[in-house]
Amino acid sequence: METQQDLSAEITAMGDAYARALKDGAPAETQPRLDYAPYRSSILRHPTKSLHHADPETIELYSPAFGHQDVHALEADLTIQHNGEPQSERIIVAGKVLDGDGRPVAGQLVEIWQANASGRYIHKRDQHPAPLDPNFTGVGRCITGPDGSYRFTTIKPGAYPWKNHVNAWRPAHIHFSMFGTEFTQRIVTQMYFPGDQLFPLDPIYQSIVDQDARDRLVASYDHNLTEPEWALGYNWDIVLTGSKRTWTENEALGAAGDEE
Amino acid sequence: MSTPTKLVPTPGQTVGPFYGYALPFEKDNELLAPGSPGSLRLQGTVYDGAGETIPDAILEIWQPDADGKIVQQTGSLVRDGYTFTGWGRASVGHSGVYTFTTVNPGPTGQVPGKPAAAPFISVAVFARGLMNRLFTRVYLPENKEALATDPLLSSLDPERRKTLIARRDPDGGLTWDVRLQGEGETVFLDFQ
Ligand SMILES: [Fe+3]
């Protein structure tokens, strides 16, 4: 079976080729490559034809509306969903959801999921022999504020092994799912923690071949978010793709979702 | 108003295999109650490049109501069984099959003097092994005239165009498969 060395060689080769292309004037890539063989599961799951350019029409220029009836305020705190407190470093993860023009995305749904401190998900297919935490499900939701802000209280997730190759480990991460003001801005991604030693080894993180683009997935430690005697704070802002709709002034103020 | 600043978008990442306790929710795939007037089943299978079904994909649809109205109703996550919110989410099962209960999308955005636009459902596809979500559309098979003049469909060659048009089942339902790769590869869209 393939080792980390084999995979790292592939990752390095693709990174070097990208660096040369950049030097020769190719535009910087901002998204992961759909065709990224070091992530073995992508080999049969990426389209081979290039994406077809389309102008968004009608329904695509709007987003589904979510409101406070959809999400309870307590769902933003992943540490209070059980009788006891989950194990691990308590953290606050907060930031803003902005569209490509810098406008806040207000009143929209943010969903997160993550492994526990031992790097284990509550999921039947997670075979990592690390302990489950009876006080942690690892699932949270919130609705963004008028300024596009979101805020979760959770715990620091652990790194976990996976079956891509021998000794494959995912850097610690939190999965994020977000909506914009238009359905074409829909995004699912992963937030990472600064300084993780596993970054160069991870085919999923490295599927974004551009370093500046990769950096956009890494939260920064923020002492202003840290709460004394309570939790460390991490800041991470999400920028969606640019909007295609002609905005009226009212919409630009952020009118999605209900008010409460 | 101040001039907006152009920001570089955050990269997407695969949904991974472990979204099971996070993304699915009760009645996530029922845009309205099964059996209610006008409801129909939209179903299909998700395939990889080897023609194998994909058991760990998740689909979202977003569509106008039967009258072509784009609704802005909250309550998708906690459905009351009466309010059509236009949005739903379906995890595929072990056999790679997804199912939604919804309505035929009505025609939206008709410009006077122009032929009626071909109604479609907007779809986002997520899967383990898929590095970023993919967007596509499902068109209704009827109204051939509108399909022929639709700007997106008419920009595709006939073989590829077929992948965006659902089949009508005898019971009024719709069948539409997703092929991520290979023969009959679904047309996926780039809006940037
Ligand atoms: Fe994960």
Side-chain angles (χ1 to χ4, degrees), chain A residues 8 17 35 43 56 59 75 84 86 91 95 164 169 176 179 184-185 187 189-190 193 196 199 237 248 258:
Chain A
S8 290
D35 179 6
I43 293 173
I59 191 79
E75 290 185 71
I91 60 172
N164 193 65
W169 289 80
F176 269 75
F179 292 78
T184 59
Q185 296 173 321
I187 181 174
T189 189
Q190 304 181 22
F193 292 87
D196 199 312
F199 284 157
D237 292 340
T248 66
D258 64 4

Side-chain angles (χ1 to χ4, degrees), chain A residues 161-226:
Chain A
W162 60 309
K163 303 269 192 248
N164 193 65
H165 53 277
V166 173
N167 215 8
W169 289 80
R170 295 294 331 278
H173 59 274
I174 300 178
H175 295 264
F176 269 75
S177 161
M178 276 136 318
F179 292 78
T181 49
E182 299 170 28
F183 197 57
T184 59
Q185 296 173 321
R186 181 87 180 85
I187 181 174
V188 166
T189 189
Q190 304 181 22
M191 185 210 89
Y192 298 90
F193 292 87
D196 199 312
Q197 301 304 306
L198 293 168
F199 284 157
L201 309 179
D202 178 39
I204 293 182
Y205 175 79
Q206 294 289 335
S207 70
I208 305 155
V209 293
D210 186 89
Q211 184 64 53
D212 290 342
R214 287 199 287 264
D215 288 346
R216 294 187 187 107
L217 293 183
V218 183
S220 38
Y221 173 71
D222 185 348
H223 204 65
N224 293 318
L225 274 175
T226 293

Side-chain angles (χ1 to χ4, degrees), chain A residues 1 10 17 25 31-32 39 41 60 115 140-141 143 145-146 155 166 177 185-186 195 203 207 223 229 255 258:
Chain A
M1 211 179 148
E10 280 183 47
Q31 294 292 328
Y39 179 21
S41 305
E60 290 160 342
R141 294 190 186 103
I143 299 287
I155 54 161
V166 173
S177 161
Q185 296 173 321
R186 181 87 180 85
S207 70
H223 204 65
E229 320 299 322
D258 64 4

Side-chain angles (χ1 to χ4, degrees), chain B:
Chain B
M1 274 170 67
S2 59
T3 321
T5 30
K6 287 282 174 204
L7 302 176
V8 183
T10 305
Q13 290 265 267
T14 180
V15 75
F18 298 133
Y19 50 79
Y21 277 78
L23 297 181
F25 56 92
E26 208 186 329
K27 297 181 188 170
D28 54 3
N29 61 342
E30 295 179 10
L31 282 73
L32 75 176
S36 56
S39 69
L40 59 87
R41 184 182 60 186
L42 164 65
Q43 64 154 25
T45 308
V46 185
Y47 297 97
D48 71 11
E52 300 288 332
T53 57
I54 297 183
D56 40 17
I58 186 160
L59 267 60
E60 289 180 358
I61 61 170
W62 167 230
Q63 64 164 90
D65 69 12
D67 298 324
K69 192 168 151 245
I70 296 168
V71 300
Q72 294 284 280
Q73 294 280 352
T74 62
S76 292
L77 290 176
V78 186
R79 298 199 192 274
D80 64 11
Y82 298 93
T83 308
F84 179 79
T85 62
W87 177 81
R89 180 182 275 164
S91 317
V92 305
H94 293 298
S95 52
V97 175
Y98 74 88
T99 306
F100 288 99
T101 306
T102 187
V103 293
N104 286 316
T108 47
Q110 188 171 355
V111 182
K114 291 233 172 123
F120 67 86
I121 296 170
S122 181
V123 182
V125 181
F126 308 87
R128 178 179 70 82
L130 179 58
M131 313 308 279
N132 206 353
R133 46 92 196 96
L134 292 170
F135 293 112
T136 183
R137 294 179 184 176
V138 191
Y139 286 86
L140 305 183
E142 295 84 13
N143 202 346
K144 305 275 185 223
E145 224 175 292
L147 291 176
T149 55
D150 181 85
L152 170 63
L153 291 179
S154 50
S155 70
L156 295 165
D157 74 60
E159 271 311 298
R160 301 221 69 210
R161 176 177 191 269
K162 280 200 303 211
T163 69
L164 301 185
I165 303 171
R167 290 194 306 276
R168 184 68 71 180
D169 304 324
D171 67 356
L174 293 164
T175 297
W176 177 76
D177 296 334
V178 179
R179 287 184 170 79
L180 289 184
Q181 190 185 87
E183 202 181 325
E185 184 175 304
T186 305
V187 172
F188 298 105
L189 304 175
D190 170 25
F191 295 107
Q192 292 314 300

